[in-house]
Amino acid sequence: MKNRNIMYRIGIGYDLHRLVEGRNLIIGGVNIPHHKGLLGHSDADVLIHAIIDAILGALALGDIGTHFPDSDPQYKDIDSKILLSHTLNLVKKHGWKIINIDSTIIAEKPKLKPFINDIRTVLSRLLEIPIDCVSVKAKTNEGVGPEGKEEAISCYVVALLSQCDNT
Ligand code: MG
């Protein structure tokens, strides 16, 4: 991490969770009204999980499972916003900061457009970056594949980090 020739690092994150009855749908820290939610050991926030993997990937620090194993009972049903805060602390500890993130959520239903700005607001606060550095896009999968058949929601994220000034 001390290579002074490298000022920027980029990372990619991906996640997918199954959509099931009887769970809340939480995406980007926002509770979205829907008759199904995402299944997982934590709150299954697919967007935040992909963000965490993008950030950890940029710093080559492993992945979400390395830091927050789903075999650990302390992470059962945990609010993924807490995991993202831990991840940001790790970023700072290593002398880096987040510049921006871009994301694409793939969900046939529900329509996420009405919630995009709420999600961006939450992520902006958690990542400690301006809202215009937080891009959240949503699209359908044209009815094909697990996302298209409403069996799952997936998400792709890229994150750009830069070194903090050591002045
Ligand atoms: Mg996940």
Side-chain angles (χ1 to χ4, degrees), residues 27 52 70 107 131 142 155:
I27 298 180
I52 291 171
D70 65 7
I131 194 164
E142 296 284 331
C155 191

Side-chain angles (χ1 to χ4, degrees), residues 22-126:
R23 292 270 299 182
N24 292 327
L25 179 59
I26 299 164
I27 298 180
V30 173
N31 214 320
I32 294 167
H34 194 46
H35 66 99
K36 288 181 175 180
L38 294 172
L39 183 65
H41 185 256
S42 66
D43 65 2
D45 190 324
V46 66
L47 173 54
I48 287 187
H49 292 183
I51 291 170
I52 291 171
D53 262 1
I55 292 169
L56 293 173
L59 297 181
L61 286 174
D63 63 17
I64 189 168
T66 316
H67 293 267
F68 314 109
D70 65 7
S71 55
D72 189 334
Q74 71 170 307
Y75 301 123
K76 177 95 179 91
D77 295 324
I78 196 169
D79 182 340
S80 292
K81 295 195 293 297
I82 295 169
L83 306 183
L84 185 54
S85 293
H86 287 324
T87 305
L88 188 67
N89 287 338
L90 203 61
V91 168
K92 291 175 180 174
K93 198 176 100 186
H94 282 81
W96 292 79
K97 63 182 179 182
I98 295 161
I99 300 295
N100 76 301
I101 66 156
D102 183 22
S103 63
T104 299
I105 305 160
I106 300 165
E108 205 69 22
K109 285 181 186 164
K111 287 289 172 210
L112 296 175
K113 196 174 176 185
F115 305 98
I116 294 291
N117 272 332
D118 286 349
I119 293 171
R120 292 175 70 214
T121 302
V122 169
L123 296 177
S124 160
R125 180 171 52 77
L126 289 169

Side-chain angles (χ1 to χ4, degrees), residues 145-166:
E147 296 96 328
K149 295 185 189 316
E150 299 173 54
E151 295 167 356
I153 290 177
S154 64
C155 191
Y156 297 87
V157 173
V158 288
L160 183 68
L161 278 64
S162 80
Q163 284 179 316
C164 290
D165 293 334
N166 282 330

